[in-house]
Amino acid sequence: MHPILFRIPLPKMPLKLWWALAAVAAIAAIYAILGARRKDRGTAAVALVVGLCAGAAGYVFREAKYEAANLPIYSYGVMLGLSLVVGWYLTLTLAERDGLPKETMANCYVITALAAILGSRVLYVVTNPDEFKQASDFFALRRGGLVAYGGFLGGYLGSWLYLRAHKIRLMPWADVAVPSLASGLLITRIGCYLFGCDFGKRLSSDAPAALKKLGTFPHWAPGTLEGSEGAPAFARHLDIVGKHTPAGDELIKMGHSFPVHPTQIYESLVGLGLLVLLLAQRKHQRFRGQIFFLFAFGYGYLRFLIEILRDDSERGEFGPMMGEHWLISGSLLVMSVAFVFGISLGITNAKARNVARVLAFVPPIVAFIALRPISFGKQQAVQLSTSQWIGLLSAVICAYFYAKFWETARRSPKLAMGLESLGDIKPSADDVGPRRKRDEDEEDEDESDDEKSAAEGDEDDAPKKKPAKKKGLVAKKKVDGETDEEGDASKKTSSDDATAKEDEPAETG
């Protein structure tokens, strides 16, 4: 593993930051003009804002420059770019299948991606302000420094603003976008692993050898990354034992960190699992927003568990200090209750649903037993990390709305899968049966009414035709050939007589 994949040779001249920002402003201006010509006010407005921000940033950082013999391409930056490309194709494919406007969704993806990167960076800056000595450090994204939850919140806000301008509901878009978030976790966390950030706590001495090997991060060669002795795990362990101590010398001699939990790999596998789950759930989707709520709950719960194993100092912690066994197990218990009354409704098999509800309470019980201090031992007081707080709150909120939308979908399944928001659906008080059944009954009633109207119309259009036959038959019984109508009846009678005569020889023969 290494933070730099390769290096690009550069000309022997300084590269100015404002050049790149000016290019962004020019591209944004083109988008704004095209949007104005198409009368697409949303795209034009967003592009105009992006262009103005890029232009302002270019003016502020007009003196910033980069001088070096080559440009390093960082592994995290490459994986981030790859995740955006994969997410683009995945999101637009799903959007087209769901009947969403492809061009609008393409523009929304770009806006969402930019807002997600901005949000993830802002949350990282808020939780790690000491790492940013000057304003230009904010744009140094190639080495990482992004928080996943900041990206989710930023992307959610950006897409909401864009879709609101286009008068398109958010939930249908959210359902097709969250699979790309899962694939993004799968890919970007591999970038984290290659760089060495977001590492876990030290492994025990009896941990499997393969796991120890995965969780060992190297001491980089001098000059690999400015201001760092090695991978973040190695640098942290060196700070703990002391750089100029026998333990520190031993650590440098080993050339790598102590074995730790490779939490980057854990979270990458979480992304893979969520991606498979979301794509499978689409086949059984009952309402718009179901895929989004499932992802938000699942990631919030699993991220909370992974955070227990994290050991990097960049996560940010706040909130009440409590005994670890009470705080962790209590938080898991809250999410278990949220699962029982919310997300578990999506398990249609009653037996499997009941089993899942019982198993939901196993993690908080196991956490309480595992983290409980020994008898007369001193309990360890901890705080929840920023990501744990966001995961806990988002899981509870999404479970609540999942249950609410599920009930609405049960009452009105046809409307629940429409592209309109479920918030606009207001079933009547007697709307307790499946909506589809009621629609079919109404169609049958309409068809019956149409048939009655058609029959009445026929009688109005030809009032003499049917009575003519009746009059003719009656007149035949009275006097033959008395009227034209009677004549018609006589012809019919003569025809019948002729037929009877033809049949007589056959009968006698």
Side-chain angles (χ1 to χ4, degrees):
M1 63 192 74
H2 200 274
I4 300 175
L5 291 182
F6 55 89
R7 297 176 183 272
I8 300 176
L10 295 178
K12 296 180 180 179
M13 60 179 295
L15 301 179
K16 300 293 185 66
L17 177 60
W18 72 265
W19 295 349
L21 294 173
V24 172
I27 295 173
I30 294 173
Y31 267 93
I33 294 172
L34 293 176
R37 286 187 174 182
R38 294 195 302 263
K39 296 182 179 181
D40 187 351
R41 295 181 179 179
T43 300
V46 172
L48 183 61
V49 171
V50 172
L52 291 175
C53 291
Y59 178 78
V60 172
F61 302 111
R62 61 186 180 278
E63 299 298 331
K65 59 185 179 180
Y66 181 82
E67 291 185 85
N70 51 65
L71 177 66
I73 302 301
Y74 293 91
S75 53
Y76 181 84
V78 172
M79 291 301 170
L80 176 62
L82 179 61
S83 70
L84 293 176
V85 173
V86 172
W88 166 275
Y89 286 104
L90 179 60
T91 299
L92 295 188
T93 299
L94 296 179
E96 189 174 11
R97 290 180 182 177
D98 284 3
L100 296 171
K102 189 172 183 179
E103 183 177 353
T104 304
M105 294 300 102
N107 294 333
C108 186
Y109 182 86
V110 175
I111 299 301
T112 302
L114 294 175
I117 295 174
L118 178 61
S120 61
R121 188 61 167 177
V122 168
L123 186 57
Y124 184 85
V125 173
V126 170
T127 54
N128 302 276
D130 56 315
E131 293 187 14
F132 297 86
K133 308 300 181 183
Q134 52 188 5
S136 59
D137 292 340
F138 183 86
F139 298 96
L141 298 175
R142 295 170 300 163
R143 296 178 290 178
L146 302 176
V147 180
Y149 263 124
F152 299 158
L153 296 176
Y156 185 91
L157 179 61
S159 59
W160 176 73
L161 291 174
Y162 179 82
L163 294 175
R164 185 182 182 186
H166 285 75
K167 298 181 180 180
I168 297 177
R169 304 299 182 184
L170 178 62
M171 285 297 104
W173 159 257
D175 282 340
V176 301
V178 289
S180 69
L181 297 182
S183 65
L185 284 173
L186 170 63
I187 298 172
T188 57
R189 288 308 181 188
I190 295 176
C192 292
Y193 179 74
L194 294 175
F195 190 87
C197 57
D198 302 338
F199 57 91
K201 296 179 179 178
R202 289 185 60 176
L203 290 167
S204 60
S205 57
D206 57 348
L211 189 61
K212 288 183 177 180
K213 187 175 181 179
L214 283 174
T216 301
F217 293 91
H219 175 205
W220 298 332
T224 299
L225 196 63
E226 182 180 355
S228 178
E229 291 282 349
F234 177 87
R236 178 167 175 78
H237 294 167
L238 190 60
D239 288 339
I240 293 174
V241 301
K243 186 174 182 180
H244 302 289
T245 62
D249 294 338
E250 182 65 24
L251 189 64
I252 294 175
K253 186 177 180 180
M254 284 194 308
H256 56 75
S257 68
F258 298 117
V260 299
H261 282 280
T263 48
Q264 311 96 325
I265 301 298
Y266 299 165
E267 196 162 348
S268 182
L269 294 176
V270 165
L272 176 61
L274 287 175
L275 178 60
V276 174
L277 176 63
L278 297 180
L279 295 179
Q281 185 63 53
R282 281 178 56 84
K283 300 177 182 178
H284 309 284
Q285 189 174 356
R286 299 288 186 87
F287 60 88
R288 298 294 180 181
Q290 184 176 1
I291 308 302
F292 171 76
F293 292 140
L294 178 61
F295 171 82
F297 181 90
Y299 181 70
Y301 193 96
L302 295 172
R303 176 65 183 267
F304 188 97
L305 294 176
I306 292 176
E307 286 285 315
I308 299 174
L309 301 175
R310 289 273 293 269
D311 194 40
D312 52 300
S313 58
E314 302 170 342
R315 299 175 300 141
E317 297 177 343
F318 65 95
M321 293 285 294
M322 294 180 60
E324 188 177 23
H325 61 299
W326 289 112
L327 185 58
I328 298 299
S329 60
S331 300
L332 292 175
L333 179 62
V334 171
M335 288 190 284
S336 297
V337 174
F339 172 82
V340 168
F341 291 99
I343 306 300
S344 65
L345 296 172
I347 306 175
T348 55
N349 183 279
K351 184 176 181 180
R353 181 170 60 249
N354 292 331
V355 171
R357 287 174 171 175
V358 173
L359 294 177
F361 292 96
V362 173
I365 295 173
V366 172
F368 182 84
I369 296 174
L371 301 175
R372 182 182 57 180
I374 59 176
S375 299
F376 306 105
K378 183 179 179 181
Q379 66 178 5
Q380 181 180 0
V382 298
Q383 292 176 297
L384 295 182
S385 69
T386 304
S387 295
Q388 283 179 314
W389 278 114
I390 297 176
L392 174 60
L393 294 176
S394 62
V396 173
I397 292 172
C398 288
Y400 167 77
F401 281 105
Y402 191 101
K404 184 177 179 180
F405 283 23
W406 182 271
E407 178 60 21
T408 306
R410 186 184 69 82
R411 293 174 178 271
S412 305
K414 187 176 181 180
L415 292 177
M417 283 302 295
L419 295 180
E420 68 273 16
S421 172
L422 285 180
D424 295 340
I425 299 173
K426 296 180 180 180
S428 58
D430 59 345
D431 191 11
V432 295
R435 178 77 181 186
R436 187 176 301 163
K437 176 63 177 176
R438 295 202 310 276
D439 290 342
E440 292 174 356
D441 293 340
E442 291 174 0
E443 290 176 0
D444 292 339
E445 292 176 5
D446 293 339
E447 290 176 0
S448 299
D449 293 341
D450 292 340
E451 292 174 359
K452 291 179 181 178
S453 299
E456 293 174 359
D458 290 342
E459 293 178 0
D460 293 338
D461 294 338
K464 297 179 181 180
K465 187 175 183 180
K466 293 182 180 179
K469 293 181 180 179
K470 293 179 181 178
K471 289 180 180 179
L473 292 173
V474 173
K476 174 63 181 175
K477 293 179 181 179
K478 291 181 178 179
V479 180
D480 294 334
E482 192 170 349
T483 63
D484 293 338
E485 294 175 357
E486 292 172 349
D488 294 338
S490 299
K491 292 178 182 180
K492 184 176 188 304
T493 305
S494 300
S495 175
D496 293 339
D497 294 339
T499 303
K501 290 179 180 180
E502 292 175 359
D503 292 338
E504 288 178 359
E507 293 175 358
T508 56

